Amino acid sequence: MFKPTYVFDKVGEITPDFLAKKHIKGLLLDLDNTLTTHNNPIPPQSSLDWLAKMKAAGIKLMIVSNNHAPRVKPFAEQLELDFVPEGKKPLTFGYTKL
């Protein structure tokens, strides 16, 4: 089972500075209730701003979602992020597919 090392209430609380101090160079992101609200096809501006900040800092980003590809693909394409649908989290299936 995959278990997180750090937990944040909101993805926007993660900063490039925090990641640099922890020597973290990439993040695997969830879709619903992380980058957007459940089943929302449009990312909020706060997520767009946060993603731009992460990309500018050179942080590699990828979506790993338990959703099916028809839900994840259009969202990931809007954000120009690679993705793994049907990740079966918290099992490691989606992470080992990378």
Side-chain angles (χ1 to χ4, degrees):
M1 288 276 236
F2 178 79
K3 294 183 182 180
T5 304
Y6 305 103
V7 178
F8 296 86
D9 288 330
K10 296 179 182 178
V11 72
E13 294 175 359
I14 304 169
T15 65
D17 185 53
F18 171 83
L19 297 174
K21 287 178 183 174
K22 302 294 181 184
H23 306 284
I24 297 170
K25 298 178 182 179
L27 296 174
L28 300 175
L29 304 166
D30 196 7
L31 181 59
D32 290 330
N33 300 320
T34 300
L35 294 177
T36 192
T37 55
H38 185 70
N39 283 331
N40 186 350
I42 302 168
Q45 188 61 47
S46 58
S47 287
L48 296 174
D49 294 343
W50 179 82
L51 289 165
K53 188 176 5 175
M54 292 293 121
K55 288 178 180 181
I59 304 299
K60 295 184 189 274
L61 304 167
M62 179 178 220
I63 295 172
V64 178
S65 175
N66 288 347
N67 279 295
H68 301 292
R71 162 72 176 125
V72 184
K73 183 179 180 183
F75 197 92
E77 287 176 344
Q78 280 183 77
L79 302 177
E80 300 178 344
L81 295 177
D82 290 329
F83 68 95
V84 174
E86 301 178 36
K88 300 184 181 12
K89 298 176 299 192
L91 300 175
T92 59
F93 175 79
Y95 306 104
T96 57
K97 275 180 80 172
L98 304 176

